[in-house]
Amino acid sequence: MSQTMERPVEVELKYRVVDLAAAERYLAAEEIGAFTGTAAPRSTQLEDRYVDTADGALGRAGFAVRLRRSGRGTIVSVKSTSRTEGAGGSMRREELEGPADRTAGPLDWPASDARSLILELAGDVPLLELVTVRQLRRKRIVRDGDTRVELSLDEVDVVSRSRVIDRFVELEAELVKGAEEGLAGLAEVFAADPALAPAIGSKLEAAMAAVQSGARPLAPSLVDHGKATAEATGGSTTAADSGPRSGRPIRRGAPVARRTKTASDTDHLATNATGTEPTGALASVAAEDPGTPAASAPHEGHEHVEATPSTSDVVSEVIDEAIPQDLRLVVGRTPGVTPEDHVAEAGRKVMRFHLARMLAREAGTRAGNDAEELHAMRVATRRQRAAWRVFGASFRPGRTKRYRNGLREIASRLGAVRDLDVLLEAADLYRSDLPVSEQRALEPLLSEWRGHRDDARILLIRELDSDGYRRWVDDYRDFVRTEGQLVMPVGPTQPHRVRDTTASRVWTAYEQVRGYEPVLRWADVETLHELRIAGKWLRYTLEFVREALGDDAGPLIARVTALQDHLGLMNDADVASSMARTFLVEHAGELSPLEGAAIGRYLVSREREVARLRRTIGAPWRGVSGVTFRRTLGRVVARM
């Protein structure tokens, strides 16, 4: 098995712009050296939040993590801070990307290689904001034969604590398709232009240098990140060494577009889903600026707010308008399970917590404007179904069957839509850099998938509108709010506390995972899918009682999640290849040769992705099966 994960590589030229008006001509020129471009540039407003753990774990490992928000949603990028020089002075570095959620931590993001790497390096500790970089990006594609390059002119604002502390402009040329030697011609043109100067470091390095030279000092952990990043790239953290920045003013032939300040300017910290608050040095930074909501918990569904309410505030706010006061679900930042809880009441806490989250996402799911609303609602239903599996034996099975059945029905409707959303998102990402003719040739396949998704959404909305669903919600809400309801009787000496029963539950779930070790090297996709399910139950068993287990449970959950992510991506690729193959067979007589060939190439790409993920299963598996995990798990359980 491969020892390392094969990661995509970003290849680009980067220049700091000294004269904006002179640099803008590259966005209009029909010829730049041997490259030609006819399309007009497109403008995009981007907001990048760079994050790390309080102790700079990601920076020390040689990675920068960026949460980018645009009109299409939020994307997390994990980039290597070490670079190698390529042809023509281009810089090469590893880069992983995946979907994210600005209001939740990595454990709640959709699965991706980027999320898996973050969890592997940082566990589930909160990710804290280092700095925000806003930019107006104008970009176009230029071509030279088969080589395609995205040329972008970025007007950058560095924002720290709601203040713009630096501005600069960069010109980037990123290789989209072809051999990197093709960049050499562009490099010659740019090197001869006095309006451009080679960029010494990344935007993050320049931003961190600006923060460190600003009036307000950073916490030591954040300063260390900037130093670690600079050391990893051989650069400096001083403003003077960051290229033509404040000390070398830009000659602007045209005014730089101004950014409109929004309430998101006050967002300074990204925390995990449990709402962990900053402590130590980071807490002291918040204390210096009373306007910084550093001690506030993250929340779901409200991105632009002046103050960040706790999860219970958000759930109450979303649900209060729809139901009477005496039926409102009010939950905390976590389920709040303690070692002394009766197992049934621990389960009730978990169910109540995730039912509140499910209902809080219902309005967004109905609206259909943001796929992440439906995704979050589905996750909440899956957590509840898992809670019934873990804790269900403590309740009367006959009288609680209707709750389990209702969850299964709504989870099925949500899953039918979400699975197709995932397929379509992956297919759109695949074809984003393809020639227009190839993109159009894939349209028959994607059009059918969209039709299936729309049909599934109609059935979902019909279910949400049904009287049966509303009655189920009302009954289930009463059940999760009423302590002692439908609990199986226990004898005085029968183990019934979380403290008494957690060890056996955890070890049983772990044994199910370890049972795959003898066959892992030869396992087929179906067997690995079963391993994914076993890993999911281990993860949920730990998550539901994580507060009772203590702080060491977090890294364990993160390692299991990384394995689950890896196997989930493999399953997604396998499903996509299977559905593409079925489509080709069923529509063979209707497709043009170009369409059939393009869909066939997509099918092959998914099969190759399945093979890659099977080949690289070793690293995430060792994270769960290794002696370090086992010892930590034993120590955590023994504390109960």
Side-chain angles (χ1 to χ4, degrees), residues 301-355:
H302 298 262
E303 197 160 325
H304 302 297
V305 288
E306 289 296 335
T308 311
S310 68
T311 304
S312 61
D313 295 333
V314 174
V315 172
S316 178
E317 180 181 342
V318 172
I319 300 176
D320 282 358
E321 297 178 0
I323 61 177
Q325 172 75 30
D326 60 342
L327 293 180
R328 294 174 184 172
L329 278 179
V330 178
V331 297
R333 298 176 182 177
T334 64
V337 174
T338 70
E340 302 302 325
D341 279 341
H342 189 294
V343 171
E345 298 313 319
R348 200 187 307 272
K349 286 181 177 181
V350 172
M351 296 170 200
R352 181 169 64 246
F353 179 79
H354 290 292
L355 175 61

Side-chain angles (χ1 to χ4, degrees), residues 80-85 91-93 200-202 205 232-233:
S80 171
T81 52
S82 61
R83 310 178 186 85
T84 58
E85 187 168 349
M91 302 305 296
R92 308 174 78 253
R93 61 176 176 174
I200 297 175
S202 66
E205 292 168 14
T233 57

Side-chain angles (χ1 to χ4, degrees), residues 15-26 169 171 186-199 243-244 248-252:
Y15 298 90
R16 192 62 58 88
V17 173
V18 181
D19 188 332
L20 179 60
E24 284 179 327
R25 67 178 181 271
Y26 293 116
V169 181
L171 179 71
L186 283 178
E188 292 179 3
V189 174
F190 295 151
D193 190 341
L196 306 177
R248 187 177 179 180
I250 299 172
R251 299 194 301 273
R252 300 177 184 261

